[in-house]
Structure formats: structure tokens, C-alpha cells
Amino acid sequence: MKWLLRGFFALLVVAIAVVAWWLFARHHAAIPPAQTTAAKLQDPALIARGAYLATVGDCAACHTAQGGKPYAGGRALPTPFGQVPAPNLTPDDATGLGQWSFDAFWRALHEGVGRDGHALYPAFPYTSYTKVSREDAFALFAYLKTLPPVRNQTGAPSLRFPYDLRAGLATWRTLYFRPGEFVPDPKQSAEWNRGAYLVQGLGHCNECHVARDNLGGLPSNETLTGGQIPAQNWYAPDLSTHAHGGLEGWSTDDIVTLLRTGQSRKGAAFGPMADVVMQSTQHMHEDDLRAIAVYLQSLPPRPAPAPGGSQVDATARLDRGADLYDRQCASCHGKDGQGVTNVYPPLAGNSSVTEPTGINAIRIVLLGGFAPTTAAHPRPYSMPPFAQQLSDGDVAAVVSYIRHAWSNNAAPVTERDVAAYRHTPVE
């Protein structure tokens, strides 16, 4: 029976792959040929623009292995289905982009298809990069061509069956991927459209800030509604600033300040977002950061969450958590949970505290909280880890208290939740 099911699955994959190939081949035939020359690729202004766009896209973060050369690839990108090594983006002829034409680069960025014609795994977020304009893609390509070539063979993905079958990618793409450049909304301002272009395209924010399904697909009808980052065990919060949004009450300046400095009066960047701020957003132009904030402020209100406070079933747990908070946390974050602006982040109304799963608060209590190093805050205050001092029950109590106090009203966490994340590798 197991082999019959596998055979049926294989036939289904092949059938969908044929349909997908026809659709994507027809689309690719409609792309006009690139008008590129070696002279254009050497234009200093174009290269500088490409360098900035690479920073906006945070390309180095994934395409640089720990201790490796910048953009030389090799970092293993974790997914729920296995690991995918990031490729070498330096212009090395044998292992990088040295033999790539711009047309091939554009097809990878826009369609998620490699130089050899194989579909790329969506660990490379072409589902967002497809919105990047051809002009910006050309500038990015020009910049990458100026990097020192590094010989680095990055290896093949290590994925479990059946996810290691590239034929299955055709099915995935048919379900979840529609190539297409960003189209400005004529009803919106130029600033809003710039922000939407950056967030939806090179910023690829939705790749983390929305919940994926069991096949790793992004919902077509949700944008930046928050979700657990696959295989990393952090929760990327909802980004709406309106009622019940993760950034409810945040102003344009609050968003800009966080992206530029890593801290604001409303909260601080921790976990994967701290790396994004350190390597990408702190280096972005002020007008681009403001455009991003304007776009985020246009996201709609969210449905009211189910009350979580009523789920705290034991007054003793809250009392225990309150006592731990007074002894371990209040000296920095304050008895009222308001923190100290630009020093210790507030806990009251903080989306990293009240997010649905409790993962962020648990991991920060266990592992510590480390804000990014930025030009504005070269030596930020950090929170020490409490994994050695607090038991699973202690952590569950204090996190449940913090998520319940000051009208946070988020659901409690359990000792089992804490135990699950105590030994989770840091990513």
C-alpha cells in the first residue's frame, strides 16, 4: 500500500509539473531580451546603486557563511524539510556568478529558475524578489560582478524525501508562486509605493512575518500578519499599527527609529530582526525607512484575538511570576513594565511579549536579549540569560505573568513550552 501511495504521488507530481512547465515556459518566452553591455556593468553610479540594493535585500546575511568570505555562500539555510546551502554570489567562474549573464540572473531573481534551467528551492525568496524591477536587478548584478571572486563550491541541499525531488517544486510553484514585477498603485502616494516596493520586494518582509502552511507556502490573502519563522523558533510579529496589530500605536518615527537604531520607545529588535537591523536597515536612506513606515501604517486593523488572561488557571502561578519579576526584572523594565527609553525595552504592550506563541519571551528569558550594534547605539545594553538560574517552572511563571500583566492579556505558557525551547539551537 505504501508503494502504491508513493506511485500515485509521483504520477500526480509529474502531471502538475507538466502543466507548470507549460505555464512558466510561456511566461519566460514573453520576457524581452536584456540590453546589457560590459560598459554599462562598469558604470560606477550603477555599481553604487547595486551595493545599496544588496544592503536593502540583506543579501550578505544568507550568502556569507560564518567565518567565510562575504557573498561566497555556503551558509546552511534551515527549513522544516532539511537544509539548503546558500550559493556563491561572487564572480568566480567555476563556483559563482562568473559565467552568468544578466538574463540568467534576472530569471533566477524574477522566476526562481537557475542558470541550468532547474527550479530553485524557495529558501531563496524569489516569491518576493520577483517584484524587483529589471533596472534594480541590473544594478544588483553589476555590483555582484565587482566582488572579489572566491572559489567556494557550496554543495547540494540535504532535504528529506519527497522534498528532495525537484519535480515536486513544479507542484509547489503552481500552488504558491506567481512571477510579476511590482506594479505601483496609482491611488497611493509615491512614498507609499516606494515603501510597498521595498517591503514586498527586496526587503522580503512577508517571508518571515506571515505564517506558512505545512508545505512552506505563503498565504495569498495575508500580508505581514505575523508568524513563526520556520526552523528558527522565533516569532516574527504582525506589523499592522492599527487596532490589534502587532505594532498597534507605533508612529512613523517609532518604526523609523527601530529600523535605524535597533531601539525605540516602543520596543527593541532581538533575534533574527537584530541581524536585519545590524546588517541592513541601519544603513538604509532615511527617506526609504520613512517610506517603509508609511506603507506599514496603511496595513489594516486585525481581528481581536481571543482573550488569553482567562486561561491563567492558577493564582499561585501568577503570584510566583510576579515575585520573580520583582526580584529579577523590575530593576530594568520597571514595576509598570514601561522600561527605559532607548535603554531597556518596555514589556507592556510589546508585540514580542504578547505574540501568540510566547516563543520570543521564553527564548529571551532563557538565552538573553541582545539588541543590534548600530551606529546610533554602538554599545547597546543587553539582557543576561537566565537559563542557569531559573527552572522551567520559574520561566513559565515569569513569562506567563509578563504576558498577563499591564493589560497585555496574552495566553500563558507552560513548563512544557519552556522545556521545548531550552535546548533549541540558536539560529
Side-chain angles (χ1 to χ4, degrees), residues 24 26 35 45 103 122 145 188 192 277 279 302 326 335 366 401 424:
F24 279 87
R26 184 177 64 171
Q35 301 299 319
D103 278 337
K145 283 290 192 178
Q188 299 288 350
W192 183 95
V277 171
Q279 299 190 58
R302 308 304 192 191
D326 286 341
K335 290 187 177 295
L366 288 173
Y401 169 75
T424 299

PDB file of all heavy atoms in Angstrom, residues 24 26 35 45 103 122 145 188 192 277 279 302 326 335 366 401 424:
ATOM      1  N   PHE A  24       5.091  28.300 -17.084  1.00  0.00           N
ATOM      2  CA  PHE A  24       6.279  29.112 -16.849  1.00  0.00           C
ATOM      3  C   PHE A  24       7.101  29.286 -18.123  1.00  0.00           C
ATOM      4  O   PHE A  24       7.716  30.318 -18.341  1.00  0.00           O
ATOM      5  CB  PHE A  24       7.134  28.493 -15.743  1.00  0.00           C
ATOM      6  CG  PHE A  24       6.625  28.832 -14.374  1.00  0.00           C
ATOM      7  CD1 PHE A  24       5.660  28.050 -13.778  1.00  0.00           C
ATOM      8  CD2 PHE A  24       7.088  29.940 -13.701  1.00  0.00           C
ATOM      9  CE1 PHE A  24       5.176  28.359 -12.522  1.00  0.00           C
ATOM     10  CE2 PHE A  24       6.618  30.257 -12.451  1.00  0.00           C
ATOM     11  CZ  PHE A  24       5.657  29.462 -11.865  1.00  0.00           C
ATOM     12  N   ARG A  26       5.867  29.531 -21.106  1.00  0.00           N
ATOM     13  CA  ARG A  26       5.185  30.544 -21.901  1.00  0.00           C
ATOM     14  C   ARG A  26       5.465  31.936 -21.353  1.00  0.00           C
ATOM     15  O   ARG A  26       5.699  32.884 -22.098  1.00  0.00           O
ATOM     16  CB  ARG A  26       3.674  30.274 -21.881  1.00  0.00           C
ATOM     17  CG  ARG A  26       2.895  31.220 -22.773  1.00  0.00           C
ATOM     18  CD  ARG A  26       1.407  30.884 -22.805  1.00  0.00           C
ATOM     19  NE  ARG A  26       0.816  31.061 -21.487  1.00  0.00           N
ATOM     20  CZ  ARG A  26      -0.500  31.014 -21.275  1.00  0.00           C
ATOM     21  NH1 ARG A  26      -1.344  30.764 -22.267  1.00  0.00           N
ATOM     22  NH2 ARG A  26      -0.970  31.189 -20.054  1.00  0.00           N
ATOM     23  N   GLN A  35      19.196  44.319 -22.706  1.00  0.00           N
ATOM     24  CA  GLN A  35      20.119  45.142 -23.476  1.00  0.00           C
ATOM     25  C   GLN A  35      21.265  45.535 -22.540  1.00  0.00           C
ATOM     26  O   GLN A  35      21.246  46.573 -21.890  1.00  0.00           O
ATOM     27  CB  GLN A  35      19.390  46.378 -24.018  1.00  0.00           C
ATOM     28  CG  GLN A  35      18.198  46.056 -24.912  1.00  0.00           C
ATOM     29  CD  GLN A  35      18.610  45.279 -26.156  1.00  0.00           C
ATOM     30  OE1 GLN A  35      19.640  45.582 -26.768  1.00  0.00           O
ATOM     31  NE2 GLN A  35      17.825  44.290 -26.522  1.00  0.00           N
ATOM     32  N   ALA A  45      28.178  54.663 -10.913  1.00  0.00           N
ATOM     33  CA  ALA A  45      26.908  55.021 -10.277  1.00  0.00           C
ATOM     34  C   ALA A  45      25.988  53.810 -10.184  1.00  0.00           C
ATOM     35  O   ALA A  45      25.297  53.602  -9.179  1.00  0.00           O
ATOM     36  CB  ALA A  45      26.237  56.147 -11.049  1.00  0.00           C
ATOM     37  N   ASP A 103      20.675  37.995 -18.153  1.00  0.00           N
ATOM     38  CA  ASP A 103      19.412  37.301 -18.406  1.00  0.00           C
ATOM     39  C   ASP A 103      19.220  36.118 -17.452  1.00  0.00           C
ATOM     40  O   ASP A 103      18.125  35.884 -16.935  1.00  0.00           O
ATOM     41  CB  ASP A 103      19.358  36.806 -19.857  1.00  0.00           C
ATOM     42  CG  ASP A 103      18.929  37.903 -20.815  1.00  0.00           C
ATOM     43  OD1 ASP A 103      18.275  38.848 -20.358  1.00  0.00           O
ATOM     44  OD2 ASP A 103      19.266  37.807 -22.014  1.00  0.00           O
ATOM     45  N   PRO A 122      12.658  27.458  -2.739  1.00  0.00           N
ATOM     46  CA  PRO A 122      12.202  28.772  -2.259  1.00  0.00           C
ATOM     47  C   PRO A 122      12.807  29.201  -0.931  1.00  0.00           C
ATOM     48  O   PRO A 122      12.342  30.174  -0.341  1.00  0.00           O
ATOM     49  CB  PRO A 122      10.681  28.588  -2.154  1.00  0.00           C
ATOM     50  CG  PRO A 122      10.477  27.125  -1.995  1.00  0.00           C
ATOM     51  CD  PRO A 122      11.579  26.468  -2.777  1.00  0.00           C
ATOM     52  N   LYS A 145      29.131  41.619  -9.713  1.00  0.00           N
ATOM     53  CA  LYS A 145      30.223  41.339 -10.649  1.00  0.00           C
ATOM     54  C   LYS A 145      31.530  42.025 -10.232  1.00  0.00           C
ATOM     55  O   LYS A 145      32.603  41.673 -10.727  1.00  0.00           O
ATOM     56  CB  LYS A 145      29.825  41.798 -12.053  1.00  0.00           C
ATOM     57  CG  LYS A 145      28.861  40.868 -12.771  1.00  0.00           C
ATOM     58  CD  LYS A 145      29.538  39.561 -13.172  1.00  0.00           C
ATOM     59  CE  LYS A 145      28.702  38.739 -14.127  1.00  0.00           C
ATOM     60  NZ  LYS A 145      29.382  37.506 -14.560  1.00  0.00           N
ATOM     61  N   GLN A 188      -2.250  55.559  -4.505  1.00  0.00           N
ATOM     62  CA  GLN A 188      -1.394  55.838  -3.369  1.00  0.00           C
ATOM     63  C   GLN A 188      -0.294  56.828  -3.746  1.00  0.00           C
ATOM     64  O   GLN A 188      -0.010  57.048  -4.922  1.00  0.00           O
ATOM     65  CB  GLN A 188      -0.767  54.543  -2.851  1.00  0.00           C
ATOM     66  CG  GLN A 188      -1.758  53.509  -2.358  1.00  0.00           C
ATOM     67  CD  GLN A 188      -2.401  53.890  -1.043  1.00  0.00           C
ATOM     68  OE1 GLN A 188      -1.981  54.842  -0.385  1.00  0.00           O
ATOM     69  NE2 GLN A 188      -3.430  53.139  -0.650  1.00  0.00           N
ATOM     70  N   TRP A 192       4.293  55.990  -0.453  1.00  0.00           N
ATOM     71  CA  TRP A 192       3.671  54.701  -0.118  1.00  0.00           C
ATOM     72  C   TRP A 192       4.131  53.626  -1.097  1.00  0.00           C
ATOM     73  O   TRP A 192       4.469  52.512  -0.689  1.00  0.00           O
ATOM     74  CB  TRP A 192       2.155  54.838  -0.170  1.00  0.00           C
ATOM     75  CG  TRP A 192       1.407  53.597   0.227  1.00  0.00           C
ATOM     76  CD1 TRP A 192       0.911  53.293   1.452  1.00  0.00           C
ATOM     77  CD2 TRP A 192       1.084  52.480  -0.626  1.00  0.00           C
ATOM     78  NE1 TRP A 192       0.298  52.060   1.432  1.00  0.00           N
ATOM     79  CE2 TRP A 192       0.381  51.529   0.178  1.00  0.00           C
ATOM     80  CE3 TRP A 192       1.299  52.185  -1.965  1.00  0.00           C
ATOM     81  CZ2 TRP A 192      -0.090  50.323  -0.339  1.00  0.00           C
ATOM     82  CZ3 TRP A 192       0.834  50.979  -2.484  1.00  0.00           C
ATOM     83  CH2 TRP A 192       0.154  50.055  -1.675  1.00  0.00           C
ATOM     84  N   VAL A 277      18.548  44.508  11.313  1.00  0.00           N
ATOM     85  CA  VAL A 277      18.849  45.912  11.599  1.00  0.00           C
ATOM     86  C   VAL A 277      20.348  46.170  11.481  1.00  0.00           C
ATOM     87  O   VAL A 277      20.783  47.159  10.871  1.00  0.00           O
ATOM     88  CB  VAL A 277      18.346  46.301  13.004  1.00  0.00           C
ATOM     89  CG1 VAL A 277      18.847  47.691  13.392  1.00  0.00           C
ATOM     90  CG2 VAL A 277      16.818  46.259  13.046  1.00  0.00           C
ATOM     91  N   GLN A 279      22.761  44.536   9.826  1.00  0.00           N
ATOM     92  CA  GLN A 279      23.388  44.378   8.518  1.00  0.00           C
ATOM     93  C   GLN A 279      22.664  45.114   7.395  1.00  0.00           C
ATOM     94  O   GLN A 279      23.252  45.353   6.346  1.00  0.00           O
ATOM     95  CB  GLN A 279      23.460  42.889   8.168  1.00  0.00           C
ATOM     96  CG  GLN A 279      24.276  42.069   9.150  1.00  0.00           C
ATOM     97  CD  GLN A 279      24.540  40.666   8.678  1.00  0.00           C
ATOM     98  OE1 GLN A 279      25.124  40.459   7.606  1.00  0.00           O
ATOM     99  NE2 GLN A 279      24.125  39.671   9.445  1.00  0.00           N
ATOM    100  N   ARG A 302      -6.496  44.390  12.642  1.00  0.00           N
ATOM    101  CA  ARG A 302      -6.591  42.929  12.695  1.00  0.00           C
ATOM    102  C   ARG A 302      -7.769  42.520  13.567  1.00  0.00           C
ATOM    103  O   ARG A 302      -8.220  43.287  14.433  1.00  0.00           O
ATOM    104  CB  ARG A 302      -5.309  42.334  13.276  1.00  0.00           C
ATOM    105  CG  ARG A 302      -4.033  42.793  12.615  1.00  0.00           C
ATOM    106  CD  ARG A 302      -4.001  42.547  11.116  1.00  0.00           C
ATOM    107  NE  ARG A 302      -2.640  42.738  10.589  1.00  0.00           N
ATOM    108  CZ  ARG A 302      -2.331  42.792   9.305  1.00  0.00           C
ATOM    109  NH1 ARG A 302      -3.290  42.703   8.392  1.00  0.00           N
ATOM    110  NH2 ARG A 302      -1.074  42.954   8.916  1.00  0.00           N
ATOM    111  N   ASP A 326       9.569  40.896  40.183  1.00  0.00           N
ATOM    112  CA  ASP A 326      10.051  41.942  41.091  1.00  0.00           C
ATOM    113  C   ASP A 326      11.521  41.750  41.435  1.00  0.00           C
ATOM    114  O   ASP A 326      12.281  42.716  41.549  1.00  0.00           O
ATOM    115  CB  ASP A 326       9.222  41.934  42.382  1.00  0.00           C
ATOM    116  CG  ASP A 326       7.832  42.522  42.191  1.00  0.00           C
ATOM    117  OD1 ASP A 326       7.639  43.250  41.196  1.00  0.00           O
ATOM    118  OD2 ASP A 326       6.946  42.245  43.022  1.00  0.00           O
ATOM    119  N   LYS A 335       8.479  48.457  37.491  1.00  0.00           N
ATOM    120  CA  LYS A 335       7.337  47.743  38.054  1.00  0.00           C
ATOM    121  C   LYS A 335       6.106  47.851  37.168  1.00  0.00           C
ATOM    122  O   LYS A 335       5.224  46.989  37.188  1.00  0.00           O
ATOM    123  CB  LYS A 335       7.033  48.276  39.460  1.00  0.00           C
ATOM    124  CG  LYS A 335       8.081  47.900  40.493  1.00  0.00           C
ATOM    125  CD  LYS A 335       7.665  48.305  41.885  1.00  0.00           C
ATOM    126  CE  LYS A 335       8.676  47.853  42.927  1.00  0.00           C
ATOM    127  NZ  LYS A 335       8.761  46.376  43.015  1.00  0.00           N
ATOM    128  N   LEU A 366      15.482  32.750  28.605  1.00  0.00           N
ATOM    129  CA  LEU A 366      16.456  31.671  28.693  1.00  0.00           C
ATOM    130  C   LEU A 366      17.834  32.070  28.179  1.00  0.00           C
ATOM    131  O   LEU A 366      18.857  31.805  28.828  1.00  0.00           O
ATOM    132  CB  LEU A 366      15.959  30.458  27.900  1.00  0.00           C
ATOM    133  CG  LEU A 366      14.792  29.664  28.481  1.00  0.00           C
ATOM    134  CD1 LEU A 366      14.332  28.610  27.468  1.00  0.00           C
ATOM    135  CD2 LEU A 366      15.189  28.986  29.788  1.00  0.00           C
ATOM    136  N   TYR A 401       3.339  35.650  33.704  1.00  0.00           N
ATOM    137  CA  TYR A 401       2.996  36.889  34.416  1.00  0.00           C
ATOM    138  C   TYR A 401       3.182  38.102  33.505  1.00  0.00           C
ATOM    139  O   TYR A 401       2.296  38.973  33.416  1.00  0.00           O
ATOM    140  CB  TYR A 401       3.852  37.048  35.672  1.00  0.00           C
ATOM    141  CG  TYR A 401       3.717  38.417  36.289  1.00  0.00           C
ATOM    142  CD1 TYR A 401       2.580  38.758  37.011  1.00  0.00           C
ATOM    143  CD2 TYR A 401       4.721  39.376  36.124  1.00  0.00           C
ATOM    144  CE1 TYR A 401       2.441  40.034  37.551  1.00  0.00           C
ATOM    145  CE2 TYR A 401       4.600  40.645  36.670  1.00  0.00           C
ATOM    146  CZ  TYR A 401       3.453  40.978  37.379  1.00  0.00           C
ATOM    147  OH  TYR A 401       3.313  42.240  37.910  1.00  0.00           O
ATOM    148  N   THR A 424      16.777  24.366  22.281  1.00  0.00           N
ATOM    149  CA  THR A 424      16.718  24.654  20.859  1.00  0.00           C
ATOM    150  C   THR A 424      17.977  25.409  20.431  1.00  0.00           C
ATOM    151  O   THR A 424      18.347  26.395  21.068  1.00  0.00           O
ATOM    152  CB  THR A 424      15.486  25.524  20.526  1.00  0.00           C
ATOM    153  OG1 THR A 424      14.311  24.794  20.888  1.00  0.00           O
ATOM    154  CG2 THR A 424      15.441  25.865  19.039  1.00  0.00           C
TER     155      THR A 424
END
